[in-house]
Amino acid sequence: MKNKEPILACIKLNKSFGPTHAVNDVSFTLNQGDIFGLVGENGAGKSTLIKIIGGECIPDSGNLFYKSSEVKWTKSFQALKNKIAIVHQEPLLVSSLSAMDNIFLGKEYTKGLFIDEEKILKKTRLLLRKYPIYPELILDEQVDKLSIDERVIIEILKALSYEPNILILDEPTASLPKKSSEILLKLLKDQSKEKNITFIYISHKLEEAIELCNKIMVMRNGKKIGILEKEEIDKNLLIKMMINQDLSQFYPKKSEKIGNTVLQVENLNTENLKNINIEVKAGEIVGLYGLLGAGMNEIALSIFGINDFKEGTLFVDGEKLHKVESLDMINKGVYLIPPDKHKFSLFDSFTLAENITIAHLYNIFPKFLISKNKENEVAEQQSAKFNIKYRNVNQLINELSGGNQQKIILARWLFKECNILILVDPTVGIDIGAKREIYNLLRNLTKSNKGVLIVSSEINEIVGISDKIYTMRRGEITAELKKDEITQENILKNIL
């Protein structure tokens, strides 16, 4: 980079919430054009730190210098006025407004006394042409009709519309399609080099952060553990710094005792799947892996009865099923945790307790009279069992972190006896500590003689957690890998 002038310096920043020291004596300096990665487990202090920088949170002590002058933000608009913008993980949009109106909210163009919608549309199209992250975005569509990934794109475009000197992004690719993610990452690199824009980039996708960032800071328990320059960055070292343990302890030990077959799929065929044969045994985790669109998700949805299939036979605990329906599968102890937790699993307007008990109301309240005390008791028991971190079981689900939300879905389905658990990308967008907890939960299921079928888009995860892997390409299974055969090289050879 041509210009390496410092643009931001944080000196001994501290912030506490009650007894929790969220940011503990943190200091670092950013130069113009840096892409600065910020990684750590949930609760490490990342969110509080970026809120201090963006004026959303006032530090208890410490100093913040921006362009060599000390600043004391008390409101976020002060930072925004000085061209420091934040894109939060959960979009902060007005659901009743359109995409373009959200992007230019607070800086609308007017014609006389009225808002000039035509000019706003024109300006938004120019913005989208300049930053083509998601060209197919419908600009005049009301936000509450858009998907979560489209809302994230709107938040990013809104931040870019301020032409920031520093742009802070919190998990921006967690819910984005692969193509949009790739375009965004290239855009950040280009803007860093060409416009000297500085980025602070929070991500749980370590490979993404390693590839993108020229330096990465690791936080743990509110403290800065260290900053690695580009040439020092190593994934194993990052994980060790984040969890304070060696990487060999990250994934639980694989199964030594495998039982009888609990799930058998024979000659499953759909429009996109060809002659699928898989077997899951008690005590094992079976992985499905392939490129996007290879058919893994469709297998999971077909087994659970969501997708119809033309032909094929399904056996659960040796029983041949003549018709596969979701309710029957649930009654047999076969549960599915689908992709996109906000769309398919969570009730965003419900509390933590309501989200846990929603699937079991008849079992908990057989007389159809819901007792709030009983519901809270069940939620507290499940939350303790799954190590869910929360303030109160009656707080809204969207107030919790992504990792805790995912554990709530597990707590919901594992409230009753489970024989087979099917999961699709269960750790997308959650921090490394929560991932480790979920891996341990899955391994504990196999120790209880249950079967687990997991679809994952992360090759490291599928290698680290699976006892057996089926690789896929274009709707077909290409290999079955066991034990020492489970390597990244063997997987890639069979999916490409």
Side-chain angles (χ1 to χ4, degrees):
M1 293 171 199
K2 296 176 182 176
N3 194 338
K4 296 292 289 184
E5 289 295 316
I7 189 168
L8 181 77
C10 299
I11 311 296
K12 295 184 178 296
L13 291 178
N14 285 276
K15 182 65 183 180
S16 295
F17 298 97
T20 303
H21 208 154
V23 173
N24 189 346
D25 215 32
V26 172
S27 300
F28 64 92
T29 300
L30 296 185
N31 296 322
Q32 289 182 356
D34 274 347
I35 304 181
F36 184 77
L38 192 54
V39 301
E41 299 188 49
N42 273 351
K46 306 184 300 294
S47 294
T48 304
L49 179 60
I50 64 169
K51 285 177 180 177
I52 291 172
I53 295 169
E56 297 178 7
C57 182
I58 300 172
D60 298 328
S61 63
N63 308 94
L64 190 65
F65 291 87
Y66 176 59
K67 293 185 173 181
S68 302
S69 299
E70 186 172 7
V71 292
K72 295 181 182 290
W73 316 129
T74 56
K75 301 288 182 183
S76 59
F77 77 84
Q78 294 171 317
L80 194 57
K81 188 178 178 181
N82 283 277
K83 295 188 177 295
I84 298 178
I86 301 180
V87 176
H88 290 286
Q89 185 174 4
E90 299 296 333
L92 305 172
L93 301 171
V94 180
S95 59
S96 59
L97 294 180
S98 68
M100 63 181 190
D101 287 335
N102 267 282
I103 290 168
F104 284 94
L105 186 64
K107 49 186 188 296
E108 296 88 349
Y109 293 92
T110 57
K111 186 186 286 184
L113 297 174
F114 302 97
I115 291 174
D116 191 343
E117 294 284 350
E118 191 177 327
K119 190 168 184 179
I120 290 175
L121 180 59
K122 183 181 177 181
K123 289 288 184 181
T124 312
R125 282 176 177 158
L126 287 172
L127 188 69
L128 196 54
R129 200 172 301 146
K130 185 177 179 182
Y131 306 113
I133 312 167
Y134 199 94
E136 58 269 38
L137 183 66
I138 304 171
L139 299 175
D140 55 358
E141 183 79 287
Q142 201 166 295
V143 160
D144 60 3
K145 294 177 183 176
L146 299 176
S147 64
I148 183 68
D149 55 303
E150 289 171 319
R151 290 179 218 168
V152 171
I153 295 293
I154 294 166
E155 276 283 15
I156 294 170
L157 289 170
K158 182 178 179 180
L160 287 168
S161 73
Y162 286 93
E163 298 184 347
N165 294 322
I166 298 177
L167 179 56
I168 304 168
L169 299 121
D170 188 355
E171 293 288 345
T173 65
S175 58
L176 290 187
K178 186 178 179 182
K179 185 179 177 183
S180 293
S181 296
E182 290 171 350
I183 293 171
L184 175 64
L185 298 183
K186 184 180 183 303
L187 175 75
L188 301 189
K189 286 182 179 179
D190 292 345
Q191 293 295 306
S192 163
K193 290 175 183 175
E194 296 167 12
K195 301 287 182 65
N196 250 354
I197 297 177
T198 302
F199 297 96
I200 299 176
Y201 194 85
I202 296 177
S203 181
H204 296 313
K205 298 179 181 178
L206 291 185
E207 290 90 348
E208 185 178 272
I210 291 168
E211 196 273 329
L212 176 69
C213 302
N214 66 298
K215 60 178 76 170
I216 295 179
M217 184 168 86
V218 179
M219 293 187 70
R220 186 174 70 240
N221 298 327
K223 296 181 180 179
K224 178 184 80 174
I225 302 304
I227 295 177
L228 300 180
E229 298 291 334
K230 187 70 174 179
E231 62 275 9
E232 303 172 306
I233 297 171
D234 173 77
K235 183 180 178 183
N236 291 355
L237 178 57
L238 283 175
I239 292 174
K240 188 175 181 179
M241 291 169 72
M242 288 166 68
I243 65 176
N244 202 24
Q245 286 183 345
D246 194 78
L247 184 61
S248 61
Q249 300 172 289
F250 185 59
Y251 292 103
K253 193 176 178 182
K254 296 195 177 186
S255 291
E256 295 177 353
K257 186 179 178 182
I258 306 293
N260 296 324
T261 301
V262 291
L263 176 67
Q264 182 92 33
V265 179
E266 292 184 353
N267 303 316
L268 174 65
N269 285 276
T270 70
E271 285 185 14
N272 302 311
L273 299 175
K274 303 169 191 173
N275 200 32
I276 300 298
N277 291 276
I278 64 174
E279 181 182 37
V280 180
K281 294 184 176 180
E284 74 174 348
I285 296 176
V286 176
L288 289 175
Y289 190 82
L291 297 177
L292 187 68
M296 297 80 63
N297 290 16
E298 192 166 342
I299 289 176
L301 297 174
S302 297
I303 291 172
F304 194 66
I306 293 176
N307 286 2
D308 294 329
F309 48 90
K310 293 178 181 178
E311 56 185 57
T313 309
L314 200 65
F315 297 86
V316 175
D317 284 327
E319 179 189 349
K320 182 178 180 180
L321 303 184
H322 297 284
K323 192 176 182 182
V324 181
E325 293 186 353
S326 298
L327 186 57
D328 291 335
M329 298 304 277
I330 291 171
N331 291 334
K332 292 180 185 298
V334 181
Y335 302 140
L336 169 72
I337 296 179
D340 195 342
K341 58 181 176 280
H342 288 282
K343 188 173 183 179
F344 296 114
S345 294
L346 293 175
F347 296 84
D348 289 342
S349 61
F350 282 22
T351 65
L352 181 157
E354 291 164 343
N355 266 280
I356 288 177
T357 60
I358 187 67
H360 310 289
L361 294 179
Y362 180 75
N363 301 90
I364 302 170
F365 315 111
K367 295 182 180 179
F368 296 101
L369 293 172
I370 295 178
S371 162
K372 203 65 184 171
N373 289 337
K374 175 67 174 173
E375 183 173 65
N376 289 350
E377 183 185 331
V378 169
E380 286 167 0
Q381 289 171 354
Q382 288 298 94
S383 296
K385 184 177 176 181
F386 289 87
N387 195 27
I388 296 166
K389 296 178 177 65
Y390 63 97
R391 186 180 70 252
N392 185 296
V393 291
N394 289 310
Q395 72 184 107
L396 291 176
I397 192 75
N398 57 16
E399 295 176 8
L400 301 178
S401 70
N404 283 306
Q405 290 175 348
Q406 194 69 11
K407 285 189 281 183
I408 283 167
I409 298 167
L410 283 166
R412 175 198 300 164
W413 288 113
L414 299 181
F415 172 71
K416 286 178 67 180
E417 185 72 9
C418 165
N419 295 320
I420 302 162
L421 184 63
I422 305 168
L423 308 99
V424 180
D425 274 323
T427 65
V428 166
I430 66 176
D431 78 285
I432 203 161
K435 283 188 178 187
R436 189 174 37 159
E437 288 186 76
I438 287 174
Y439 299 149
N440 287 330
L441 287 168
L442 298 183
R443 189 50 72 192
N444 287 337
L445 279 179
T446 64
K447 287 177 182 176
S448 303
N449 224 28
K450 312 303 181 187
V452 175
L453 179 65
I454 181 170
V455 175
S456 175
S457 54
E458 294 185 26
I459 193 166
N460 291 327
E461 177 173 85
I462 212 80
V463 168
I465 196 69
S466 303
D467 300 299
K468 178 171 68 183
I469 295 172
Y470 292 100
T471 57
M472 294 193 68
R473 183 173 58 236
R474 298 193 191 108
E476 296 184 82
I477 288 175
T478 54
E480 178 183 332
L481 306 175
K482 298 179 182 177
K483 296 184 178 177
D484 294 341
E485 299 170 335
I486 297 176
T487 65
Q488 288 196 23
E489 184 182 3
N490 280 343
I491 290 172
L492 292 172
K493 190 165 58 180
N494 286 287
I495 69 169
L496 297 175

